[in-house]
Amino acid sequence: MTSATPDDEKAPDAGSFQVDLRGLVDLLSHHLYSSPRVYVRELLQNAVDAVTARQALDPVAAIRIRLRAADGTVSIEDSGIGLTVDEVHSLLATIGRSSKRGGEHGLESARREFLGQFGIGLLACFVVARRIRVVTRSARTPWAAPVEWLASDDGSYTVRTLPDEARREPGTTVYLEARPGVGEWLEPARVEELARDFGSLLPYDITFAGPDGVARPITDRPAVWDRTHPTPASRRVALAGHCARVFGFTPLDSIDLDLPVAGVRGVAYVLPEPTSPAHRAGHRTYLKGMLLTDHASNLLPEWAFFVRAVVDTDTLRPTASRENLYDDETLAAVRDALGARIRQWLAELAAGDPQRLAAFLDVHHLGVKSLARHDAELFALMLPWLPFETSDGHVGLEEFAAAHSEIHFTRTVEEFRQIAPIAAAHGLGVVNAGYTYDAELLALLPAVRPGVTVTELDAGAVTDRLDPVPTTAELALASFLATARTRLDPHSCDVVLRAFQPVGVPALFLDDRQARQERDRATAQENADSLWSDILGSLRGSAPRARLVLNHNNPLVRRIGALPDAELTGTAVESLYGQALLMSQRPLRPADSTLLNRAFLGLLEWATHPTSATDAEENRA
């Protein structure tokens, strides 16, 4: 049984995509590449890949790469593998085709040494060139004549064979003629600068010649971190000079980044000044000696924001534009390994060079604290060195834990500043956990120092440490305390009488997280509609309230306690409450602001009120 196509059906026409070269170049220059400068990298890359392929074919062949620039033209000559006429048609005129594809032309074994992976090749040079001329001779078929490929930025090209004398040795020379308006990118000084930037670590000797014809070396190998130096001090000086040239600062220290298994070598430079943990520094990354990017922000862990790194790798993958690293599992493994190397450096400093460690932590303790959150072993190692603000001053947690088995902490800097002098005077161990990472590290302390307890500071803990007032004295002030408690009860604040140092502090406002939550709930209930007010009212708990601790040692408090006028006493207590609130630097609620205003005006009224009958008569007169 057979089937037939109906007479009214026709076979589809075959066709191929047409590429607008100018549109494609515009796409490359505006969306793929960050700058026209990458054309120098493409020239160097093609030359290096050509000589790499030549060495795979003929290991004893002489290797040569020469870059020249003059009069709005740039050329690069190599003694590489070269191309035949068929390869010119196939590779140079077909977008997306690469001479480095596995298995093609017998180069599978050499492919891993190539820099290029995406077959864009000379196309990128049209970003700066209006015409590209390639003269090449194949090393695989040395008897074949040289070939010329001449292409324009309008998408047209010609291919022709040349006489033998046009190029007698295998290899390729590429000539670029500048497009109007981009001539600055082909100026000799700019070309030499870009060539040194991109190619200083390439594995072959590369020279550059300007209009004077004098050839100058571009490559500068081995890399500074791989060179031998007579002493460790001279090596540190050499690395510091390299950092100053590359990054513009003199490093506090340098860390070798050597991962042979991952094919990564380099150095991390420690910044001499503190930087924000939110800042993602860019790291200078080379791929097989070719500069890939100055902005590889994903090379190191986020916590390592205190270093800038320079590395050369032969295992990590570049992105399509070859201007950054592709974030895959391999990069993740390398990132973890580099982070471990930086951590090892810290451990070595702690064990053998405490002075350098102290100098480092003076600047970058925040970065180490960030790392220590996820590394209990490092945290234990850094305990004597990491600075914390405590009621005993700026000390390490090791020393502070030795003095205080029970450690309290405050969540805000303001709360700590208010309580620190009183805590120090009464032997209460308090740590300021209002800074980045400190609360997290304090939570880890009992795990690395058994026997130490860490709790958030609450009003009860402070009050219990303050000296009680003798019973007779407190009974004598019973009326005063009753008036004070009545006045502050609407503000969810209890009043307690204690004797504490320093004497100059008349009152101390204390609360804890539960008390703050209860006040916030009450405020929300007052401002809510009836439905939400009922719901919030049902959530009212028995959490402890804030406390105003009056200092019986303070002469002002004793004088207020002896006032015969209950109204004046209440106004004075409200003033003490407001002053304590301001000292704690907590945000004021509307009710607190109203109380402060009322107390201030009340005291002014009392200060200006007539105090005797004679004064009253004088005022009437």
Side-chain angles (χ1 to χ4, degrees):
M1 185 173 180
T2 63
S3 62
T5 302
D7 293 339
D8 59 346
E9 291 187 13
K10 296 181 179 180
D13 293 332
S16 60
F17 289 107
Q18 301 297 312
V19 177
D20 178 357
L21 184 59
R22 288 181 176 174
L24 189 56
V25 169
D26 181 72
L27 180 66
L28 289 175
S29 61
H30 289 91
H31 299 284
L32 183 61
Y33 296 131
S34 61
S35 166
R37 68 197 296 266
V38 297
Y39 86 92
V40 175
R41 184 194 65 196
E42 296 296 335
L43 291 176
L44 291 172
Q45 179 177 291
N46 287 341
V48 168
D49 287 343
V51 297
T52 301
R54 175 75 181 276
Q55 280 202 323
L57 179 71
D58 182 6
V60 299
I63 297 302
R64 181 180 68 255
I65 301 177
R66 298 171 179 168
L67 187 63
R68 296 183 177 90
D71 301 326
T73 64
V74 172
S75 66
I76 187 167
E77 177 188 1
D78 67 68
S79 58
I81 195 69
L83 300 172
T84 66
V85 65
D86 290 338
E87 291 167 349
V88 166
H89 278 291
S90 173
L91 301 175
L92 298 187
T94 304
I95 294 172
R97 182 75 59 85
S98 172
S99 62
K100 299 176 281 293
R101 296 193 177 215
E104 193 168 2
H105 309 300
L107 299 179
E108 173 67 23
S109 62
R111 183 185 185 279
R112 65 176 62 93
E113 303 301 327
F114 291 139
L115 297 169
Q117 299 289 325
F118 297 92
I120 296 174
L122 288 177
L123 184 62
C125 294
F126 278 116
V127 172
V128 298
R130 70 179 183 86
R131 187 164 65 175
I132 301 176
R133 180 172 179 252
V134 177
V135 177
T136 182
R137 188 164 196 161
S138 174
R140 286 187 293 271
T141 57
W143 58 87
V147 181
E148 177 195 69
W149 180 78
L150 186 63
S152 300
D153 61 358
D154 61 2
S156 63
Y157 73 92
T158 60
V159 178
R160 64 178 177 132
T161 57
L162 301 175
D164 281 352
E165 56 268 20
R167 187 178 183 95
R168 294 190 177 277
E169 298 297 326
T172 301
T173 303
V174 179
Y175 304 88
L176 306 183
E177 294 181 20
R179 295 174 61 188
V182 296
E184 62 178 292
W185 293 102
L186 278 71
E187 292 177 356
R190 176 66 67 88
V191 175
E192 182 176 7
E193 176 190 358
L194 293 176
R196 292 185 188 280
D197 203 29
F198 282 114
S200 61
L201 298 186
L202 286 171
Y204 305 107
D205 291 334
I206 302 172
T207 61
F208 172 84
D212 57 7
V214 178
R216 294 180 288 275
I218 291 297
T219 46
D220 184 21
R221 303 185 316 274
V224 63
W225 52 83
D226 285 329
R227 296 174 189 173
T228 56
H229 299 272
T231 63
S234 63
R235 184 175 188 270
R236 282 197 295 269
V237 170
L239 289 173
H242 176 255
C243 178
R245 291 191 299 274
V246 172
F247 294 126
F249 65 84
T250 300
L252 194 65
D253 209 338
S254 57
I255 308 168
D256 284 316
L257 303 177
D258 187 7
L259 303 176
V261 175
V264 175
R265 284 281 295 150
V267 62
Y269 295 115
V270 181
L271 292 166
E273 297 177 349
T275 185
S276 168
H279 176 66
R280 297 299 300 275
H283 307 290
R284 190 174 178 90
T285 306
Y286 293 83
L287 179 62
K288 300 182 178 71
M290 179 74 78
L291 177 65
L292 188 70
T293 179
D294 280 323
H295 309 289
S297 59
N298 55 356
L299 179 66
L300 295 181
E302 290 186 7
W303 54 260
F305 52 83
F306 51 85
V307 299
R308 297 285 298 278
V310 184
V311 300
D312 188 17
T313 175
D314 57 14
T315 58
L316 300 178
R317 292 173 56 196
T319 57
S321 65
R322 292 194 289 278
E323 293 188 283
N324 214 329
L325 294 170
Y326 186 76
D327 213 333
D328 56 8
E329 293 181 357
T330 302
L331 178 58
V334 168
R335 183 164 52 236
D336 290 342
L338 292 177
R341 178 65 194 95
I342 296 174
R343 178 197 174 282
Q344 179 187 352
W345 169 78
L346 285 170
E348 291 170 354
L349 286 188
D353 201 339
Q355 289 185 339
R356 284 172 66 197
L357 177 63
F360 166 75
L361 289 177
D362 280 344
V363 180
H364 295 297
H365 59 272
L366 201 59
V368 179
K369 285 183 176 181
S370 175
L371 171 59
R373 294 177 302 155
H374 310 292
D375 192 327
E377 183 180 350
L378 178 67
F379 180 44
L381 187 66
M382 291 290 111
L383 271 182
W385 310 100
L386 288 176
F388 285 80
E389 186 177 13
T390 76
S391 52
D392 292 350
H394 284 81
V395 299
L397 280 184
E398 178 87 357
E399 178 183 345
F400 193 70
H404 304 277
S405 60
E406 184 180 3
I407 294 176
H408 301 273
F409 67 91
T410 64
R411 291 191 178 272
T412 67
V413 175
E414 296 77 18
E415 186 178 2
F416 174 82
R417 297 283 165 80
Q418 184 196 20
I419 198 64
I422 298 168
H426 293 270
L428 186 65
V430 182
V431 177
N432 182 0
Y435 297 116
T436 306
Y437 308 132
D438 284 7
E440 296 173 81
L441 292 177
L442 284 168
L444 297 175
L445 184 60
V448 298
R449 287 294 179 269
V452 174
T453 61
V454 177
T455 58
E456 184 174 356
L457 184 69
D458 60 43
V462 178
T463 306
D464 291 343
R465 285 298 185 101
L466 303 181
D467 296 334
V469 176
T471 304
T472 55
E474 188 163 5
L475 288 174
L477 294 172
S479 176
F480 160 66
L481 292 175
T483 299
R485 287 164 183 156
T486 301
R487 282 297 185 100
L488 296 185
D489 182 69
H491 300 278
S492 301
C493 182
D494 292 332
V495 177
V496 179
L497 186 66
R498 291 288 186 273
F500 57 87
Q501 301 295 327
V503 174
V505 178
L508 178 66
F509 180 81
L510 297 175
D511 69 350
D512 50 31
R513 184 167 50 184
Q514 290 180 317
R516 289 191 291 271
Q517 290 174 346
E518 176 60 24
R519 288 202 307 275
D520 291 341
R521 183 207 60 78
T523 301
Q525 181 180 2
E526 291 174 3
N527 298 326
D529 57 30
S530 58
L531 174 61
W532 282 108
S533 179
D534 292 341
I535 294 174
L536 291 169
S538 67
L539 296 177
R540 182 173 183 175
S542 59
R545 305 206 304 171
R547 297 183 186 183
L548 181 69
V549 184
L550 299 176
N551 187 1
H552 188 254
N553 290 339
N554 183 268
L556 176 62
V557 171
R558 291 201 298 270
R559 286 198 297 270
I560 293 174
L563 290 173
D565 188 335
E567 184 63 28
L568 178 59
T569 299
T571 301
V573 167
E574 289 181 338
S575 298
L576 289 176
Y577 172 78
Q579 187 263 352
L581 272 179
L582 293 174
M583 290 295 294
S584 70
Q585 299 186 36
R586 291 171 172 81
L588 296 180
R589 298 173 297 168
D592 296 329
S593 299
T594 301
L595 176 144
L596 277 171
N597 185 58
R598 182 175 66 245
F600 176 73
L601 294 177
L603 290 177
L604 284 179
E605 176 70 21
W606 175 82
T608 59
H609 192 73
T611 58
S612 68
T614 303
D615 292 335
E617 290 295 334
E618 290 177 356
N619 287 339
R620 283 196 295 271

